[in-house]
Amino acid sequence: MAIYVTGDTHGSQPSGFLSVDGFMRRLSKNSFPEQQSLGKDDYVVICGDFGGVWAANRYACAEPPEEKNALDWLEEKPFTTLFVPGNHENYDRLTGCRNEALLNSWFYERMPDSEKKKLRKGYPQKKWNGGLVREIRPSVLMLERGEIFCLNGQYCLAFGGAHSHDIRDGVLDPAAYANEADFIMDYRKRKGSLIRIKGVSWWEEEMPSQKEMEQGKSRALALMEQHGRVDFVFTHAAPLSDLLFFGYDGQDECSRFLESLLHEISFGCWFYGHLHDNRMLSDNRILLYEQIVKAYGK
Ligand SMILES: [Fe+2]
């Protein structure tokens, strides 16, 4: 069994000529030839901003064809893909939409109730190797926040989520507008500003709740009692001191929480993404973007 880890993929396709994004290129046979000797008991972990479930469809819950094809492509890979959620994920579709104001607004007025019911559920949740996952495909799984997984004897803590840096000028909430025309008028007025749209390109679930942080920590501490350490930690955000070390300012509750965890647990190796770079703070605190590293295995 092997565990490989990589950083943000931001969807299936590169976003430009020089882009390193897109899991279809990153995990192709050319970029990742090691896959030829892998099986479904081998894992590739994406440290957040997977982006394979992204588009907000106002009419139906089904995956758009381009996303469906890309996820099917990933399912056909010889390995199993795991990801922790980042800040750029469609949480409404992944974990179930709880934004009733949006569901009852003009934005979703053409979506039938039967489809809204599916959207409220998200992808099926199930227990897998000791923790909860959302099953995107049988071998494409989202690791729920604060869960512990045992991958062939290696205990892994997954804690996705991060604060978005690209909402400096705010978040527009479609449900706060009476109709589409009013929303578009306001949106156009803000052209050029750094904004995102709630339920379309930003979701408040990007940040962990108090309950998720408490649960995550208590599970990690319980594992420490039983096993002596957490073998691997997979997060999207970095602990605060790592963030500062790499020269990023701006702290938030998630990075502060991860910092507190850093001081309370022993771990084999901690991998995170979010900062769009490949750096190593020490031999067991590793920031990843497009690099794919082998964390465990022969
Ligand atoms: Fe990202």
Side-chain angles (χ1 to χ4, degrees):
M1 199 259 325
I3 302 174
Y4 289 84
V5 193
T6 187
D8 308 24
T9 51
H10 302 125
S12 62
Q13 301 298 326
S15 53
F17 183 66
L18 293 172
S19 172
V20 295
D21 290 336
F23 60 77
M24 289 180 84
R25 185 155 75 183
R26 181 131 13 123
L27 300 177
S28 68
K29 284 179 190 162
N30 281 345
S31 304
F32 182 43
E34 295 87 342
Q35 65 189 273
Q36 282 164 21
S37 61
L38 303 183
K40 288 293 182 188
D41 283 342
D42 300 301
Y43 304 99
V44 174
V45 182
I46 297 169
C47 289
D49 280 6
F50 167 61
V53 177
W54 176 253
N57 184 342
R58 295 170 60 187
Y59 308 103
C61 193
E63 293 163 349
E66 192 185 335
E67 279 186 14
K68 183 185 179 304
N69 293 341
L71 292 167
D72 288 343
W73 177 90
L74 205 47
E75 172 63 17
E76 284 165 19
K77 287 278 146 190
F79 51 84
T80 292
T81 303
L82 308 173
F83 69 94
V84 294
N87 54 309
H88 292 147
E89 313 284 4
N90 187 331
Y91 281 91
D92 287 348
R93 286 181 52 210
L94 279 171
T95 58
C97 182
R98 285 160 199 86
N99 187 349
E100 288 300 319
L102 188 64
L103 284 169
N104 293 316
S105 74
W106 58 268
F107 187 82
Y108 279 120
E109 68 187 353
R110 292 190 197 139
M111 181 181 272
D113 285 344
S114 56
E115 290 295 298
K116 286 184 183 175
K117 206 172 161 184
K118 289 184 212 162
L119 190 56
R120 285 187 183 96
K121 285 187 176 166
Y123 284 88
Q125 192 182 51
K126 70 172 190 181
K127 196 92 174 167
W128 178 85
N129 283 343
L132 289 171
V133 295
R134 293 278 174 173
E135 188 180 80
I136 314 303
R137 294 289 185 277
S139 65
V140 180
L141 305 170
M142 189 195 96
L143 306 178
E144 290 272 30
R145 193 175 282 155
E147 298 287 324
I148 305 275
F149 300 90
C150 183
L151 306 181
N152 284 11
Q154 299 301 301
Y155 288 94
C156 308
L157 168 67
F159 201 90
H163 177 67
S164 284
H165 302 300
D166 50 10
I167 52 170
R168 188 191 62 207
D169 300 320
V171 174
L172 293 191
D173 181 1
Y177 296 80
N179 53 56
E180 189 163 8
D182 286 358
F183 173 77
I184 289 172
M185 197 161 67
D186 196 23
Y187 181 73
R188 283 186 181 150
K189 269 194 240 163
R190 293 161 191 262
K191 202 174 172 193
S193 57
L194 206 55
I195 56 167
R196 283 188 171 247
I197 301 169
K198 189 172 183 176
V200 176
S201 56
W202 181 85
W203 292 263
E204 62 190 4
E205 292 86 352
E206 68 174 23
M207 284 294 277
S209 67
Q210 195 60 38
K211 189 180 167 195
E212 287 171 327
M213 290 190 279
E214 283 167 12
Q215 272 185 353
K217 186 176 279 190
S218 72
R219 286 175 185 148
L221 294 176
L223 179 61
M224 290 288 300
E225 289 274 309
Q226 293 159 13
H227 183 62
R229 72 170 195 170
V230 180
D231 295 311
F232 293 103
V233 183
F234 301 117
T235 63
H236 183 54
L240 180 60
S241 56
D242 295 32
L243 201 67
L244 297 173
F245 179 83
F246 291 135
Y248 295 86
D249 56 4
Q251 49 178 288
D252 58 75
E253 208 166 353
C254 188
S255 60
R256 282 195 293 269
F257 164 70
L258 296 176
E259 181 70 20
S260 73
L261 197 61
L262 183 74
H263 296 287
E264 289 187 53
I265 63 170
S266 308
F267 54 89
C269 199
W270 188 321
F271 293 95
Y272 46 84
H274 191 40
L275 304 175
H276 299 177
D277 204 350
N278 305 286
R279 306 277 296 273
M280 206 166 155
L281 192 141
S282 62
D283 61 1
N284 70 347
R285 285 152 72 179
I286 297 170
L287 161 64
L288 289 175
Y289 189 12
E290 81 276 16
Q291 285 189 6
I292 305 173
V293 302
K294 191 183 215 174
Y296 178 79
K298 286 180 192 165

